[in-house]
């Protein structure tokens, strides 16, 4: 049996991918929220052999793997696996796959949009004009400015390409130290400190791991220019929340474009929403019909290849 325990908000039920999965056997899809509760997630998985993980609010912990001994595969829709205990999966004989690269163009476009909207202050004048005002102020031009990209996977590489396309000088940082990949997209390799000190826009595309949690903290944010913009379409926990709020409130950086947050959904009274130098979006950078269609099909294809004994897009293989 295949289970989709966390299809909320629903994208899988009734999709082309859903129909394709049915050809593999019984498929159970849960479209109500609740998979973020550990015991409820265990109940939903039940005797299933494979789970397709749609949302990051479902946490596949070691307890979940222990309580679901029939589970042998988790296929993740998307790239991030920070909601999965990867060590627990491997120890319990569970293979974990994801669908890397499929959302790269959409997320990169969104990152570019956020940096432009913050730089051009699009949202504030639009709001003021509806009140009958005619605000005219100095804006930030990005051509000739430095773009620092942290993480040179599919998304970061595409952001670097788009940045060069609008005339920015791009600095790249790779967690793997892959300077050839950085140069391949026309960027210049640089270390973390140089990027933070010199970039006019910093864009985060680093995978969230225990090592990268708090990748930017108070010390790192203090290195940035007061005219710099931070864009985060990766994971909220890559940036220390209190340090970011302080830097934005005190105008130690110009502003931020945020698609990801420490808590999602973000409460309406969260202080980040009251800051005029923040442009926010509800973790929807990859929400396009093309990404949803292709990503869900790829997640099902991972199940197909696993059942054939040739798993693809491996993140974790069972420890034998």
């Amino acid at each position: 049996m295949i289970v989709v325990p966390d299809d909320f908000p629903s994208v899988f039920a009734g999709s082309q991918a859903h129909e394709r999965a049915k050809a593999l056997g019984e498929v159970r899809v849960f479209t109500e929220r609740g998979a973020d509760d550990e015991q409820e997630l265990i109940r939903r998985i039940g005797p299933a052999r494979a789970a397709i993980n749609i949302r990051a609010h479902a946490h596949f912990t070691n307890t979940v793997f222990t309580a679901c001994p029939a589970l042998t595969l988790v296929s993740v829709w998307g790239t991030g696996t920070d909601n999965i205990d990867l060590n627990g999966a491997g120890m319990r004989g569970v293979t974990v796959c994801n669908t890397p690269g499929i959302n790269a163009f959409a997320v990169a476009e969104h990152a570019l949009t956020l940096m432009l909207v913050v730089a051009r202050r699009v949202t504030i004048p639009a709001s003021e004009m509806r009140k009958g005002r005619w605000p005219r102020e100095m804006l930030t031009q990005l051509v000739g400015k430095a773009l620092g990209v942290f993480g040179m996977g599919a998304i970061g590489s595409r952001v670097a390409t788009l940045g060069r396309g609008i005339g920015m000088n791009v600095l790249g940082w790779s967690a793997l130290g892959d300077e050839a990949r950085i140069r391949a997209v026309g960027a210049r390799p640089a270390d973390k400190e140089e990027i933070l000190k010199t970039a006019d826009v910093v864009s985060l595309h680093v995978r969230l791991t225990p090592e990268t949690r708090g990748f930017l903290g108070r010390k790192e944010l203090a290195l940035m220019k007061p005219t710099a913009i931070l864009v985060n379409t990766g994971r909220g926990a890559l940036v220390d929340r209190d340090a970011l709020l302080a830097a934005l409130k005190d105008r130690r950086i110009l502003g931020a474009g945020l698609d990801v947050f420490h808590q999602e959904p973000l409460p309406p009274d969260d202080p980040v929403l009251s800051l005029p130098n923040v442009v926010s979006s509800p973790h929807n950078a990859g929400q396009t019909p093309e990404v949803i269609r292709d990503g869900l099909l790829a997640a099902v294809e991972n199940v197909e290849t696993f059942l054939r004994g040739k798993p693809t897009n491996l993140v974790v293989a069972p420890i034998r």
Side-chain angles (χ1 to χ4, degrees):
M1 181 171 68
I2 301 168
V3 65
V4 184
D6 54 349
D7 187 26
F8 175 86
S10 181
V11 291
F12 187 88
S15 67
Q16 185 180 347
H18 189 182
E19 294 304 311
R20 184 165 167 177
K22 289 178 182 178
L24 302 174
E26 181 185 354
V27 180
R28 297 185 65 190
V29 182
F30 293 85
T31 57
E32 312 83 17
R33 180 137 193 180
D36 38 352
D37 177 81
E38 190 174 56
Q39 291 305 311
E40 176 61 14
L41 180 58
I42 290 169
R43 185 190 73 80
R44 293 183 181 191
I45 293 172
R49 182 181 179 190
I52 296 176
N53 171 218
I54 303 295
R55 304 297 181 186
H57 58 67
H59 292 274
F60 288 76
T61 63
N62 186 55
T63 301
V64 170
F65 293 129
T66 303
C68 301
L71 187 66
T72 55
L73 172 71
V74 177
S75 179
V76 179
W77 176 48
T79 304
T81 55
D82 49 289
N83 61 312
I84 298 175
D85 183 338
L86 299 178
N87 182 64
M91 294 296 292
R92 297 292 173 183
V94 180
T95 297
V96 179
C97 302
N98 63 358
T99 56
I102 288 174
N103 66 349
F105 277 44
V107 176
E109 285 180 12
H110 201 84
L112 178 65
T113 299
L114 287 173
M115 65 179 79
L116 285 167
V117 171
V118 175
R120 309 301 294 184
R121 296 179 61 82
V122 173
T123 55
I124 294 176
S127 175
E128 292 293 293
M129 288 173 67
R130 291 190 184 97
K131 300 172 185 175
R133 299 173 185 142
W134 193 251
R136 290 172 59 81
E137 55 186 301
M138 298 299 291
L139 307 176
T140 299
Q141 180 172 297
L142 295 184
V143 66
K145 298 294 199 307
L147 167 63
V149 180
F150 285 108
M152 296 300 295
I155 298 172
S157 294
R158 181 61 181 170
V159 169
T161 298
L162 293 177
R164 290 186 64 242
I166 63 169
M168 300 187 78
N169 302 311
V170 183
L171 306 175
W173 179 92
S174 165
L176 301 176
D178 191 348
E179 294 192 359
R181 188 181 184 97
I182 296 171
R183 291 193 177 94
V185 293
R188 178 173 69 80
D191 63 26
K192 185 176 181 179
E193 183 172 334
E194 181 185 359
I195 289 176
L196 292 171
K197 286 182 174 180
T198 62
D200 299 287
V201 179
V202 171
S203 195
L204 297 180
H205 306 284
V206 180
R207 181 174 293 182
L208 180 61
T209 66
E211 293 73 31
T212 60
R213 186 173 293 274
F215 184 76
L216 298 186
R218 195 171 302 275
K219 181 181 75 172
E220 289 79 14
L221 291 168
L223 295 175
M224 293 175 64
K225 297 178 179 180
T227 55
I229 296 167
L230 174 65
V231 173
N232 189 3
T233 56
R235 286 290 189 268
L238 291 171
V239 186
D240 181 275
R241 179 179 181 274
D242 292 339
L244 177 60
L245 284 171
L248 290 165
K249 285 178 181 177
D250 298 342
R251 302 296 177 120
R252 294 198 295 271
I253 61 174
L254 179 69
L258 307 174
D259 184 57
V260 288
F261 305 90
H262 288 73
Q263 180 181 351
E264 296 181 6
L266 196 64
D269 60 348
D270 192 285
V272 75
L273 295 176
S274 66
L275 296 173
N277 53 346
V278 173
V279 175
S280 57
S281 56
H283 201 157
N284 67 343
Q287 292 289 108
T288 71
E290 297 86 353
V291 168
I292 292 173
R293 178 198 64 214
D294 296 345
L296 292 177
L297 286 171
V300 173
E301 185 177 352
N302 283 341
V303 180
E304 294 171 341
T305 57
F306 175 80
L307 294 177
R308 291 199 298 266
K310 298 181 178 179
T312 48
N313 297 316
L314 274 174
V315 177
V316 166
I319 297 173
R320 304 295 184 186

